[in-house]
Amino acid sequence: MKTDIVILGAGAAGMFCAIEAARRGRRVLVIDHAKAAGEKIRISGGGRCNFTNTGIAADRFLSRNPRFALSALKRYTQWDFVARVDEAGIAWHEKTLGQLFCDGPSTQIVRMLLDQMREAGVQLWLGTSVEKVEGGFRVVTSRGVVEAERVVVATGGKSIPKMGASGFGYQLATQFGLNVIETRPALVPLTFAEQELVHLQPLSGIALDARVTTGASFDEALLFTHRGLSGPAILQASSYWREGEALTVDLLPGRSLSDDLRQLRGEQPRIALRTALTRHMPEKLARRMEEVCGVTGAIGALSNGAIEAIERQVHAWQLKPVGTEGYRTAEVTLGGVDTEDLDPRTLEARRMPGLHFVGEVVDVTGWLGGYNFQWAWSSGWAAGQAV
């Protein structure tokens, strides 16, 4: 079989690239080993698909060259995708921090993309494995050999292997001489050693707003789990955290504790510190912070210096994870195909004309909250104008 373009991967970036290329009159074949297209779209956002964010900016993407993504992001913006969602009649709403979600199920986004692919004449092969890609380009699949002028690699990263994620895209990049930046799980819960879990496990299930800092600071919800920490603030921080580093957790961001403790010291000097702290946090966490602060007596015995020390501890609790939950639960993969080897306007490999890389397989990773989907739409669109 001969075609103009073969796109490897029927995820967000691959399908969007296919639509754009086919609308330009190109013959497009999309190949994916999964039985259904857009599976990560389907499960995203709790089944509501956080499809983009109003606050797209370069500093919200991690890469060796964060500005690389700007070419595509500026030419196909979040508002362009919102317009497409509106045209499809899909209702949506804005949540906190500029996150845009579908009102209904995320399968509406998948259906929109599949409908547009069909209308544009895109051919889709699902349940089809790719055995190898040879220069030229000759794509050997479980359904036969396909010859194409161009190949777009939209195979995603290693995140959520039970859905079929693999490092195939990175292998192709290496095969054709491109550099691959070290990959690791991102937007992922953090885990702790047994000696730390003894203290954290009793807090499992507690959620509260906090500020988590490790290279960058995030003010969002934090969740204690039986293995460590999760919640949006932790998932965001995980992209910046490296093994051996500690997290700084502010349990009362933007709020003062000292004045309240001094007032209680005068009014209710016999109460324990944990009792005073329950005015600001759940009881179990208050008990743990009392232990961390090393306070055993009533608050009437606390000096002003001791109260200031408690304030500092509550605003800068140091916790040291030992690892992450891994690709099993990671929302995305950090690292990937080196942007130095790609043209930012076309996503084409500089040393291999006709070979393009889009979406998560590239060393561009967004924050939690719709940023990675916008990179998928924008990079897919950019490549779709060039293939």
Side-chain angles (χ1 to χ4, degrees), residues 82-258:
V82 167
R84 189 166 299 204
V85 170
D86 287 340
E87 289 169 10
I90 298 173
W92 54 273
H93 59 279
E94 181 175 347
K95 285 192 175 181
T96 57
L97 305 174
Q99 302 170 22
L100 303 188
F101 287 79
C102 296
D103 286 357
S106 54
T107 49
Q108 294 174 105
I109 299 292
V110 179
R111 176 50 54 195
M112 176 188 78
L113 297 172
L114 288 171
D115 287 347
Q116 292 178 1
M117 284 170 60
R118 186 180 62 255
E119 291 162 5
V122 175
Q123 192 170 358
L124 175 62
W125 286 2
L126 294 172
T128 304
S129 61
V130 175
E131 296 167 9
K132 59 181 176 179
V133 178
E134 300 170 342
F137 291 93
R138 191 169 179 270
V139 182
V140 181
T141 81
S142 57
R143 290 178 60 167
V145 176
V146 183
E147 294 180 355
E149 295 176 12
R150 292 177 178 268
V151 169
V152 179
V153 181
T155 50
K158 299 178 181 178
S159 307
I160 317 182
K162 70 178 181 181
M163 295 181 64
S166 71
F168 183 67
Y170 309 130
Q171 296 168 22
L172 282 180
T174 301
Q175 173 189 328
F176 287 104
L178 282 72
N179 184 44
V180 175
I181 305 299
E182 175 195 5
T183 60
R184 57 191 175 92
L187 302 183
V188 62
L190 298 176
T191 58
F192 288 78
E194 288 299 324
Q195 61 267 28
E196 194 71 42
L197 282 178
V198 169
H199 304 294
L200 293 181
Q201 281 182 336
L203 307 178
S204 181
I206 292 176
L208 74 164
D209 289 334
R211 176 177 298 142
V212 178
T213 303
T214 174
S217 294
F218 296 96
D219 287 32
E220 292 192 61
L222 177 150
L223 173 67
F224 292 89
T225 72
H226 69 287
R227 287 171 54 82
L229 295 174
S230 188
I234 292 297
L235 298 186
Q236 295 278 38
S238 72
S239 296
Y240 294 84
W241 177 79
R242 296 306 297 255
E243 194 167 329
E245 296 177 351
L247 300 174
T248 299
V249 178
D250 182 348
L251 295 171
L252 299 175
R255 294 155 59 193
S256 175
L257 182 64
S258 298

Side-chain angles (χ1 to χ4, degrees), residues 278-290:
T278 56
R279 294 159 62 106
H280 303 275
M281 62 187 69
E283 181 184 358
K284 287 183 179 179
L285 182 56
R287 286 179 177 274
R288 176 57 189 152
M289 292 314 299
E290 182 182 60

Side-chain angles (χ1 to χ4, degrees), residues 246-275:
L247 300 174
T248 299
V249 178
D250 182 348
L251 295 171
L252 299 175
R255 294 155 59 193
S256 175
L257 182 64
S258 298
D259 291 344
D260 186 44
L261 288 180
R262 277 192 287 266
Q263 182 179 345
L264 284 172
R265 181 179 61 184
E267 296 174 352
Q268 303 179 57
R270 295 183 179 180
I271 67 171
L273 175 61
R274 61 181 178 272
T275 304

